[in-house]
Amino acid sequence: MEGSGPQGDIVLTSRVRLARNLKGIPFPHLLREEQKKEVINEVWQAATAPAVSKVFGAMEVFYLDELSPLQKQILVEKHLISPALAEGKGGAVILNADETVSIMVNEEDHLRVQILMPAFQLEETWKAADRLDDALEQRLDLAFHEEKGYLTACPTNLGTGLRASVMIHLPALVLTNQAGKILGSLSQIGVAVRGFYGEGSEAQGNLYQISNQITLGLTEEEIVNNLSLVVQQLIDQERAARERLKAEFYHQIDDKVNRAYGILAHARSISSEEALRLLSDLRLGIDLGMISGVDPRILNEMISFIQPGLLQGRQEKEMSPWERDLVRAEVIRNKLVNQRR
């Protein structure tokens, strides 16, 4: 994701996932190996039908059992599959060319239909997911109950089966010690806050995944609208906190930002965790006008370069943690030097 688009200085990505299951077939955890293959084949036939390809382009299927651990790690780091699918057996993922469409097959449910877009485009993302869902349903007989909605392996996904989420950058709320209280209160209104890699992961680089918890009793449109309102409030609070930092702590933040630039521009070895933390500081400094000559999309771009799997994928070889730290530092140095020439 290149990081441009509405509110792209604070929201990195918008994502919608729909949990769906085929009618009359046991959920994936009860399927035999041959039955999982039949599910993949059925979903693949639907995903390559003209109704889908005309809108979303040609698709390609990847069988997880045939991929190396590194290839699976790269898909997880790109947020195209979940860690659960990568670790399981008999799964597959179907992707379009620009990877805005991802259909996980035989994860917790038979299908997890995902649309991923840059910046704050939750409504557009949902509409695209809805179009894809309708196109797939022309070929698939999905498990649906008139009162309960779409039937899912986990009761928490029952109803719409819709999980909408955004990846949001909140450095100022963290620095002003407001993030814990604000984000902690969101669970009371049915909103989940997770780390960089979703459920069970920790926040890195002041990046948080904000998503709905409730899928039953609301329409898809209501879920998306409610989450959009929450995200907009977070954006407004983050902007207010940034103004406060600039007004009251200018020199401290200016020092922090330039220290971050200095380390990123000169370090010979750096971990992904430290790099994300410093890139977060640098991005904040760019947005506050404290540093110039660096593309504001640096944080978004570097996320696609510096993670362990993606880094090894670009180098086309497996590397030890120490080798990765050396290459990561070199990649960041070159990027910053080239931008300031």
Side-chain angles (χ1 to χ4, degrees):
M1 294 293 172
E2 80 282 6
S4 60
Q7 317 270 23
D9 58 329
I10 294 180
V11 178
L12 274 65
T13 58
S14 300
R15 182 178 72 182
V16 167
R17 273 185 184 171
L18 300 170
R20 300 288 185 258
N21 287 281
L22 304 181
K23 187 177 180 180
I25 300 177
F27 292 131
H29 67 281
L30 297 173
L31 290 180
R32 298 189 304 275
E33 186 177 339
E34 285 306 311
Q35 290 175 303
K36 288 187 176 182
K37 290 180 181 176
E38 291 171 8
V39 170
I40 293 172
N41 184 56
E42 192 167 341
V43 176
W44 171 243
Q45 296 300 322
T48 52
V52 174
S53 58
K54 190 181 296 183
V55 179
F56 299 97
M59 300 285 174
E60 189 171 3
V61 62
F62 299 89
Y63 297 88
L64 273 296
D65 292 344
E66 297 176 0
L67 299 182
S68 69
L70 177 57
Q71 289 172 315
K72 288 189 274 192
Q73 185 180 356
I74 291 171
L75 290 171
V76 171
E77 291 177 357
K78 288 176 149 182
H79 296 276
L80 296 175
I81 67 171
S82 66
L85 186 68
E87 294 166 4
K89 297 289 183 184
V93 61
I94 299 169
L95 304 172
N96 69 343
D98 64 7
E99 299 179 341
T100 53
V101 172
S102 164
I103 305 172
M104 291 192 290
V105 188
N106 291 331
E107 200 236 31
E108 187 175 71
D109 296 289
H110 292 143
L111 294 87
R112 287 284 174 91
V113 177
Q114 171 180 293
I115 298 287
L116 185 67
M117 290 187 179
F120 190 25
Q121 302 189 78
L122 211 46
E123 184 175 351
E124 292 81 358
T125 306
W126 166 61
K127 287 180 178 176
D130 192 44
R131 282 199 301 273
L132 177 57
D133 187 38
D134 288 346
L136 291 170
E137 203 161 354
Q138 289 181 25
R139 299 287 294 263
L140 299 174
D141 192 8
L142 299 178
F144 184 84
H145 187 278
E146 286 193 3
E147 293 181 359
K148 299 182 176 68
Y150 287 100
L151 303 180
T152 54
C154 180
T156 59
N157 292 320
L158 199 63
T160 61
L162 185 147
R163 295 283 180 186
S165 65
V166 299
M167 188 70 73
I168 190 166
H169 184 220
L170 302 174
L173 287 179
V174 173
L175 286 169
T176 54
N177 297 318
Q178 299 179 79
K181 183 178 180 181
I182 292 172
L183 297 178
S185 67
L186 294 182
S187 63
Q188 298 172 17
I189 56 172
V191 173
V193 180
R194 299 187 171 97
F196 188 60
Y197 292 115
E199 191 167 0
S201 65
E202 295 181 359
Q204 294 183 27
N206 300 314
L207 294 167
Y208 297 88
Q209 194 177 106
I210 310 294
S211 62
N212 64 297
Q213 286 181 315
I214 300 170
T215 60
L216 184 64
L218 297 170
T219 66
E220 293 183 359
E221 186 173 14
E222 287 171 334
I223 291 171
V224 171
N225 287 341
N226 290 344
L227 187 65
S228 294
L229 288 173
V230 170
V231 172
Q232 186 57 57
Q233 287 183 352
L234 285 174
I235 292 171
D236 293 342
Q237 289 168 317
E238 170 65 19
R239 292 200 189 287
R242 291 183 181 191
E243 290 303 314
R244 181 187 164 200
L245 284 176
K246 191 173 182 179
E248 299 180 15
F249 304 98
Y250 184 92
H251 295 295
Q252 293 94 321
I253 300 302
D254 189 37
D255 179 67
K256 187 180 184 68
V257 168
N258 280 282
R259 282 176 182 272
Y261 179 84
I263 295 172
L264 290 168
H266 297 287
R268 263 43 188 173
S269 168
I270 193 166
S271 68
S272 56
E273 185 177 357
E274 183 183 15
L276 271 178
R277 177 171 55 78
L278 295 171
L279 286 166
S280 170
D281 293 344
L282 181 59
R283 177 61 201 261
L284 175 63
I286 296 168
D287 292 339
L288 293 178
M290 294 175 172
I291 197 162
S292 60
V294 182
D295 191 325
R297 296 172 298 182
I298 183 84
L299 177 62
N300 310 55
E301 290 181 358
M302 285 295 102
I303 286 174
S304 299
F305 283 90
I306 66 171
Q307 296 175 74
L310 289 163
L311 198 65
Q312 293 174 89
R314 288 185 178 275
Q315 297 293 317
E316 297 182 343
K317 64 177 182 180
E318 293 191 14
M319 297 183 287
S320 69
W322 173 245
E323 289 173 319
R324 294 200 297 267
D325 289 352
L326 291 174
V327 173
R328 183 179 296 109
E330 182 182 7
V331 167
I332 295 172
R333 280 201 316 274
N334 290 338
K335 180 73 176 177
L336 291 174
V337 168
N338 289 334
Q339 286 192 356
R340 279 200 150 182
R341 275 179 178 165

